[in-house]
Amino acid sequence: GIRVSHAMLVARSGGARALLGLAENEIPSFVSWLPFYHAGGLTMVSGPAVEALDAHVLTVQRFVRDPAEWLRLVSRTRALATAGPSSGWAAAVRALAKRPDGVDLSCVRVAALSFELVDADVIDRLLEVCGPLGLRPGAIATAYALSEAGGGTFTRPGGGARIDTIDLGRLVSERLAVPPGPGAPSRRAVSCGFPTPGIEIRVGSPSDPLPERHVGELFIRSEMN
């Protein structure tokens, strides 16, 4: 269990209008299927308490029966944002590809992948299936959040997901994330974006952080801890 203070919950739940680049008179709208005991689902409860927004929640049971119903609900409600783990997106896209008729995702400004390791192949498939349905590449977002800190990282709005191809051998042996040499084995890694406001991130050590593209333990601090 993790102690989440009132300040952390407010910090996680606010800022939807700024995230989506909305005018003062526009109301943010979100769709989620994550249960309320999940960090992502909890935001669907606390979010409307912090600022004016529309929250549409699909039950987990309905998602499991037909994962594509998630994206159909996004289309029906004209939601501006939705989020889920890579595995959830993979299931939804796989189901939607079988029956995409009537789905229009041109309304989506943020389609976020978070809550588990972001899979580059899932992003490829998401764009392949949902691009023709109106989903823009710039709407794909990635994030990493630490509940203890009340936040983490997020893709810059409209910037899309950044995927790097890195040298697998040097990643394992030298703990470096660098482009692969000729003929070298490689893997694709998805960026989780940039620190959100009030969040400080260091890699390796708080007092002696590692330089860019070095692998190390993450230390995250926010104004709330």
Side-chain angles (χ1 to χ4, degrees):
I2 296 167
R3 178 183 177 271
V4 179
S5 69
H6 179 268
M8 289 181 185
L9 193 60
V10 169
R12 283 182 60 95
S13 305
R17 181 169 282 103
L19 170 67
L20 298 172
L22 300 182
E24 196 61 37
N25 60 341
E26 292 183 283
I27 301 297
S29 54
F30 291 76
V31 164
S32 176
W33 57 269
L34 299 170
F36 294 148
Y37 56 78
H38 187 282
L42 179 61
T43 308
M44 297 296 285
V45 178
S46 59
V50 174
E51 60 183 322
L53 60 84
D54 291 331
H56 304 271
V57 179
L58 189 72
T59 65
V60 177
Q61 291 83 356
R62 285 182 64 188
F63 172 81
V64 171
R65 283 199 302 268
D66 181 8
E69 185 62 18
W70 170 21
L71 301 180
R72 294 193 191 103
L73 182 59
V74 170
S75 176
R76 288 197 300 271
T77 60
R78 311 310 296 154
L80 299 180
T82 190
S86 284
S87 56
W89 281 106
V93 169
R94 186 165 53 247
L96 185 65
K98 299 175 182 176
R99 190 164 55 89
D101 298 348
V103 175
D104 176 10
L105 301 176
S106 60
C107 55
V108 177
R109 298 191 190 184
V110 172
L113 291 83
S114 185
F115 313 118
E116 66 183 30
L117 182 68
V118 179
D119 189 332
D121 292 341
V122 171
I123 293 178
D124 291 343
R125 185 62 174 152
L126 175 59
L127 290 172
E128 179 185 343
V129 173
C130 296
L133 303 178
L135 183 67
R136 296 178 295 275
I140 304 298
T142 55
Y144 172 85
L146 189 69
S147 295
E148 298 95 317
T153 66
F154 204 84
T155 305
R156 285 175 178 154
R162 193 183 79 202
I163 302 175
D164 284 350
T165 301
I166 57 179
D167 190 307
L168 184 57
R170 297 191 67 184
L171 178 68
V172 173
S173 62
E174 302 176 50
R175 298 172 67 81
L176 291 174
V178 296
S186 63
R187 67 167 295 175
R188 296 197 298 162
V190 183
S191 168
C192 289
F194 301 86
T196 52
I199 295 292
E200 179 185 0
I201 298 178
R202 297 194 179 188
V203 179
S205 167
S207 58
D208 186 23
L210 293 170
E212 288 286 329
R213 293 193 168 272
H214 283 65
V215 178
E217 188 175 1
L218 283 175
F219 291 85
I220 302 177
R221 180 171 64 186
S222 73
E223 297 168 350
M224 279 77 68
N225 62 0

